[in-house]
Amino acid sequence: MVNVFISHPTPYNKDQQSFLSLIEDEIKQYGLNPINLGKNNWSFKSPLQPIKMLMDTCFAAIIIGLERHHCYIGYEKEFTKNSKETVHKYTSSPWLQIEAGMAYQAGLPLLILKESKIYSEGIFDPQISDSFIFEFDLKKVKKELSPEIKELILSWVKHIQ
């Protein structure tokens, strides 16, 4: 099996758990082995070194932006002339940004999936990312991956093999 680093926040609800299981099942069909630090490779060391060691065994990486934080109201650049009020801002785990950066620096081909409500910043900002970012509605992907996601995965698998 070919190792693929899969970066996602720890799921905290059934929809997220189901989606991640569907993604893992789909990529396993192509002989890919999804691995990450928190799931099956925990280390007592600081996390960056073990993540790098795991990534060194991988041929690609999948970054999955799922909701972790919901800010009902907030401010960007508060108390400046460029201040911007944000309402219902959803973000994912900051570890996704770190792991995506590490994967990019390692030269791993990236597949980026982002729950549509996740705020577009960093790796999830299509205006600054040099990778295609596929957005999905988690509520619509409960029992089966959409044909679009399956086709995207197949295209990505062909690219990395």
Side-chain angles (χ1 to χ4, degrees):
M1 287 195 116
V2 174
N3 286 343
V4 172
F5 193 87
I6 184 165
S7 179
H8 60 77
T10 302
Y12 69 88
N13 64 42
K14 289 180 183 178
D15 290 344
Q16 290 180 348
Q17 290 169 344
S18 174
F19 181 75
L20 292 172
S21 292
L22 290 169
I23 291 292
E24 288 189 7
D25 290 347
E26 186 71 17
I27 66 173
K28 284 178 182 177
Q29 290 182 40
Y30 299 107
L32 302 177
N33 179 38
I35 62 170
N36 65 21
L37 184 62
K39 187 178 209 174
N40 46 15
N41 294 291
W42 185 249
S43 171
F44 68 93
K45 299 177 183 177
S46 65
L48 295 180
Q49 184 182 15
I51 291 169
K52 182 182 179 328
M53 290 171 60
L54 280 176
M55 281 190 187
D56 286 346
T57 71
C58 295
F59 289 88
I62 301 174
I63 312 300
I64 304 175
L66 298 171
E67 177 192 341
R68 170 57 62 89
H69 306 102
H70 178 191
C71 178
Y72 287 90
I73 188 163
Y75 298 90
E76 291 186 27
K77 302 177 185 173
E78 189 173 26
F79 305 120
T80 70
K81 65 180 179 178
N82 297 323
S83 180
K84 178 183 170 191
E85 184 176 274
T86 59
V87 179
H88 294 293
K89 180 179 178 181
Y90 297 89
T91 57
S92 196
S93 169
W95 279 101
L96 275 67
Q97 303 289 346
I98 295 167
E99 291 173 345
M102 291 175 73
Y104 180 83
Q105 283 299 111
L108 300 180
L110 298 177
L111 174 61
I112 303 173
L113 306 174
K114 175 179 97 67
E115 192 175 355
S116 54
K117 66 183 175 180
I118 296 296
Y119 187 67
S120 294
E121 65 182 341
I123 195 69
F124 298 117
D125 185 345
Q127 294 182 335
I128 62 170
S129 178
D130 64 353
S131 297
F132 175 73
I133 300 163
F134 184 85
E135 291 191 14
F136 62 92
D137 183 348
L138 189 61
K139 300 279 185 219
K140 293 181 179 177
V141 189
K142 290 189 178 188
K143 304 229 186 272
E144 182 178 27
L145 293 176
S146 70
E148 294 84 8
I149 293 176
K150 287 182 177 187
E151 185 60 36
L152 178 68
I153 290 172
L154 175 59
S155 173
W156 179 74
V157 167
K158 287 179 181 177
H159 173 72
I160 65 171
Q161 290 182 333

